[in-house]
Amino acid sequence: MMRFCIAWNKVIFAGSAALALAAGPLPAGEVTLRSTEGAFNLHGELLRFADGHYVVKTPLGEFRVSAERARCEGEGCPTSDIEDANVRFAGSDSMSVGLMPLLLTGYAGSLGAEISTSETPNAGQFLSNFVADQGFGDPVGSYLVTPGTTSDAFAGLLDGSADVGLASRRITPDEARSLRDAGAGNMIDRRQEHIVAVDSIVVIAHPDNPVSQLSMQDMRDIYAGRVSNWEALGGEDRPIAFIGRSEASGTRQVFEETIFGGESVPFSSSHNIAETNAEMAAMVNADPGAIGFVPFSFQRGARPLDLVNACGIVSSPDAFTAKTGEYPLQRRLYLYTRADAVEPAADFVQYAGSEAADVMIAKAGFINLGVERKSQSAANGRAGQLSTEGLDAYETGILANLIDEMSAHDRLSTTFRFRSGSSELDERGARDLVRLIEFLGDLPKGTQVALVGFTDDVGTFDSNLSLSQRRAEIVLDTAISKGGERLDGLDFAALGFGELAASECNVSEAGRSINRRVEVWIKDAVGG
């Protein structure tokens, strides 16, 4: 009787890498799986490799062995041309697994190519191949994605094993210096550092819990075990069931760093652990006394809680506040490239940061950088948070003017930020300006657009007024210069309100950096 098996074969198209499954009679497919821990050796016929596991037929039956636990030896082992991939990605698991499959699918569609994706024998790694003309043309690229940590992204860029680093945090100064010294260029230059999405961490409670907001101090007290009943927080007389994540969780790391401000404050020993974000949401939804934290896309019907900072400023966990950078529990997602990046890598990065990728980023559960519009009427609470406390008559008059202008305009999510004392935009500003011009160019003629500047509270009130006005004028002039005829017919103005309307407390450099900003406000044309 002829033996049949399924094995991985090498397929090469015009110099690009591909992986394929082939069914049919094959040469001897005998393999040996050697345990990476030395615990076993398994010999038999490799039937298939799928979902990161080898399936081997032996005289004792079929065995399924994880590729993480065994090394395959023999002619029948899976092979792949991963070394010849046109672009190699490495880094953050949440990006490589959660974002890259959809981004690559969208990129293939933008090129009019068909995408086929296959696993490699390396755990979690996958290879996507593009074929032009919806699969009827020639191969046009191969893209290898290797999951790991953000640190792996920079290690891969350093040793040349990666063309694009996937990072769920910004590069550290030490990492940037190491890459610079190795000839990789200035890693924080906007040509090499690319923000593609935002991932907010949302504090959630049971949907029937009447508590709608908690202060940052409340959060610290709950998670350190100092507050154990919802009644102490304005809720029902019910024990608080705090649910956490393991110490290896990136979500937990963002949560701890923001809530505890870098202090070494251990979680209460009585908390439960959720292994995944989905499990966290399910545990909170099942327990009326539960509280937890999940990425933005994993709320799943639980009640999201607003956060109140030490200055009394309320932040709601929605996409708009994440895009403005004013929601405190969030992280940016980055793509990093070397200065000598290969052209296919640069082309992909350009797509990933464009409006064309927004749909795929949203489908992946992250918050894209697309421009959104939101009312600033007194009803939505922003103007209502502004207070005259501590202001003299002169400052109160300017605040009144601010409230009048705010109430008359909607705000766009595009927000430009500046380094201390300067009028130089941060690394995200140039890319956001391109998107803003595209958005404004589609507005009806006569639409009123105000660039509105703010500062931190360092310096005198009048000097901050002047600085905020100057920053608004710089953004306005740059937008008009780059937008050209596309912005003809819009009615522009530049306004400055100094240190009024802070979005964060001015007690730290991180808070002050949030307040050094230029917002974009719009008002429909009269009769529009």
Side-chain angles (χ1 to χ4, degrees), residues 422-464:
S422 79
S423 298
E424 183 180 352
L425 291 172
D426 71 2
E427 75 282 349
R428 179 173 159 181
R431 187 176 295 274
D432 283 350
L433 188 61
V434 173
R435 284 178 172 248
L436 176 64
I437 290 170
E438 291 297 315
F439 181 90
L440 296 178
D442 292 332
L443 295 177
K445 292 185 181 301
T447 299
Q448 299 180 44
V449 182
L451 281 299
V452 187
F454 297 92
T455 68
D456 57 32
D457 67 351
V458 177
T460 67
F461 186 87
D462 279 347
S463 65
N464 284 334

Side-chain angles (χ1 to χ4, degrees), residues 115-138:
I115 182 174
S116 61
T117 298
S118 304
E119 293 178 319
T120 79
N122 301 320
Q125 188 183 65
F126 65 89
L127 184 71
S128 294
N129 293 283
F130 292 6
V131 180
D133 298 329
Q134 305 300 328
F136 291 93
D138 295 326

Side-chain angles (χ1 to χ4, degrees), residues 199-270:
D199 187 19
S200 289
I201 309 301
V202 182
V203 178
I204 56 173
H206 190 275
D208 293 337
N209 193 324
V211 175
S212 61
Q213 63 181 34
L214 293 173
S215 71
M216 301 296 271
Q217 184 60 52
D218 291 336
M219 296 297 303
R220 287 189 284 272
D221 290 341
I222 290 171
Y223 281 81
R226 294 188 290 266
V227 173
S228 58
N229 195 295
W230 282 105
E231 188 174 28
L233 303 170
E236 299 173 346
D237 181 9
R238 188 187 303 276
I240 297 174
F242 153 42
I243 303 171
R245 294 290 307 277
S246 70
E247 292 185 5
S249 165
T251 303
R252 171 171 172 167
Q253 292 170 11
V254 173
F255 179 87
E256 284 187 318
E257 182 176 342
T258 305
I259 296 298
F260 295 115
E263 298 177 15
S264 179
V265 181
F267 280 7
S268 166
S269 60
S270 62

Side-chain angles (χ1 to χ4, degrees), residues 1-17:
M1 180 176 179
M2 185 174 293
R3 296 169 65 189
F4 289 81
C5 68
I6 296 177
W8 292 82
N9 285 306
K10 183 181 294 185
V11 182
I12 302 178
F13 296 101
S16 67

Side-chain angles (χ1 to χ4, degrees), residues 241-320:
F242 153 42
I243 303 171
R245 294 290 307 277
S246 70
E247 292 185 5
S249 165
T251 303
R252 171 171 172 167
Q253 292 170 11
V254 173
F255 179 87
E256 284 187 318
E257 182 176 342
T258 305
I259 296 298
F260 295 115
E263 298 177 15
S264 179
V265 181
F267 280 7
S268 166
S269 60
S270 62
H271 71 280
N272 295 315
I273 293 292
E275 295 300 324
T276 66
N277 294 315
E279 183 180 0
M280 171 78 80
M283 292 171 71
V284 170
N285 279 317
D287 185 347
I291 185 172
F293 52 91
V294 292
F296 182 80
S297 62
F298 283 89
Q299 299 175 52
R300 302 193 175 190
R303 179 165 194 168
L305 302 182
D306 292 345
L307 298 180
V308 186
N309 68 17
C311 307
I313 299 171
V314 180
S315 296
S316 298
D318 54 38
F320 190 91

